Amino acid sequence: MPGPTWDADTIVARYDEVRAHTETLAAPLSPEDQTVQSMPDVSPTKWHRAHVTWFFETFVLAQHEPSFTPFQDQYWFLFNSYYEGVGPRYARAERGHITRPGAHDVGLYRADVDARVRDLVTTLDGGSLEKLAPTIELGFHHEQQHQELLLMDIKHVLSVNPLQPVYAGTPLAPSAPDALGWVDVEGGLVEVGHRGGGFGFDNELPLHQQWLEQYRLADRLVTNGEWLDFMADRGYERHELWLSDGWGKVRDEGWRAPFYWREVDGVWFEHTLSGTRPVDPGLPVSHVSHYEADAYATWAGKRLPTEGEWEHAVVADGQVEPSPEAANLADRTTFHPRPAGPATGHLRQVFGDCWEWTSSAYLAYPGYHPPAGAIGEYNGKFMSGQMVLRGGCALTPPGHARLSYRNFFPPGSRWALSGVRLADGGARR
């Protein structure tokens, strides 16, 4: 699909749309909610709101606004995430210590930068705007990433509150899983990576070829009900199912169920953004690590797909673009994965519901080169010790999921909205 033509009016309209969506997501939260950091992986809501603003101030205004001065000198230090080329930054694990600026003051910061970006965009000549547009578009997608993270993070913040507060949304009626089906995929020499025409992060490039043996993918995600069977068969107690590092996590951290599950009087409950309720057997299992996904696949006699297999299977199945009807993305009703829906003979839940773990390490594609300057720190420097996830989730914003998107987390991460799709045939580890 061709990308948009970035004239001034289009940029301003898209800018306002993306920025407003962040504020809509933060609206149900009190200033106190927005300040809490419940673990090192979580950032406070107001930090997310400020950091994405810092991005536009740093990479758009500072580079192009005449007589630029920062909104507040210390904000560059407080709200830089990991850009060493920009300067020092506040420790990630201590972001919850920042009681000031408060949520209201962060709103003033956002409003100031928004007004200045609009003024800049509408006053630049066509050639200057054309050069700046890719950085602004990157800022849109960067903010969308943080919109998803904002929801994942506040989910954990609210989960540790004994009052069990609800963020928003209404749960669906309980459901039952249907039988797991399989979709056969021819292998061969296939293309993997961003195909051009629209936005893509640098880590999705270059488009390249991979050889795949014939394989098949499960037609839907693994469900809570199936995960309960894994638990009942002592899945968290059998070392032979686990990768060595994963078994170490099980023992060191006492894993016995997915991240947001807890057992009360023999009944398993799951915390969600729309409340804490009994585990629904028909919903996709979520908030499991790569280690857990791999152990489940081993227990089931299957494996996880490689990211190349995932991408090629989706292309072969005719689902190159997310379908608004079929993809559970930006779910504002439940803020949670949904049941797979009736079997169709095609892959279900490809885009949305849960990010899907693959067996692929997050590494550079052949011929990859990071962009020059601080922007080049965006993806490339994290290509070590991480695993790739594909497909998007129920919290992924509109227009942000795509076929070639490579999300990545450490294999022990559980707080992200991640799930499991099984593979079979082809190359085994």
Side-chain angles (χ1 to χ4, degrees), residues 220-236:
R220 60 160 171 78
L221 301 178
V222 172
T223 64
N224 288 334
E226 289 162 336
W227 203 269
L228 285 166
D229 292 339
F230 169 68
M231 292 163 57
D233 198 32
R234 301 173 53 250
Y236 283 92

Side-chain angles (χ1 to χ4, degrees), residues 180-247:
L180 185 69
W182 294 89
V183 175
D184 292 317
V185 186
E186 290 293 329
L189 194 60
V190 306
E191 288 189 323
V192 176
H194 192 261
R195 287 155 172 77
F199 178 82
F201 287 118
D202 59 89
N203 65 356
E204 301 170 40
L205 296 167
L207 184 67
H208 62 285
Q209 293 183 321
Q210 291 185 13
W211 176 265
L212 301 177
E213 300 294 338
Q214 185 175 355
Y215 61 102
R216 61 180 186 163
L217 289 191
D219 71 336
R220 60 160 171 78
L221 301 178
V222 172
T223 64
N224 288 334
E226 289 162 336
W227 203 269
L228 285 166
D229 292 339
F230 169 68
M231 292 163 57
D233 198 32
R234 301 173 53 250
Y236 283 92
E237 303 169 44
R238 295 166 54 185
H239 66 86
E240 69 272 16
L241 300 177
W242 294 80
L243 296 168
S244 178
D245 287 349
W247 183 241

Side-chain angles (χ1 to χ4, degrees), residues 224 260-261 268-272 275-280 286 336:
N224 288 334
Y260 286 115
W261 289 23
W268 284 101
F269 287 80
E270 180 178 17
H271 167 77
T272 75
T276 301
R277 57 183 184 266
V279 167
D280 183 342
S286 59
H336 198 69

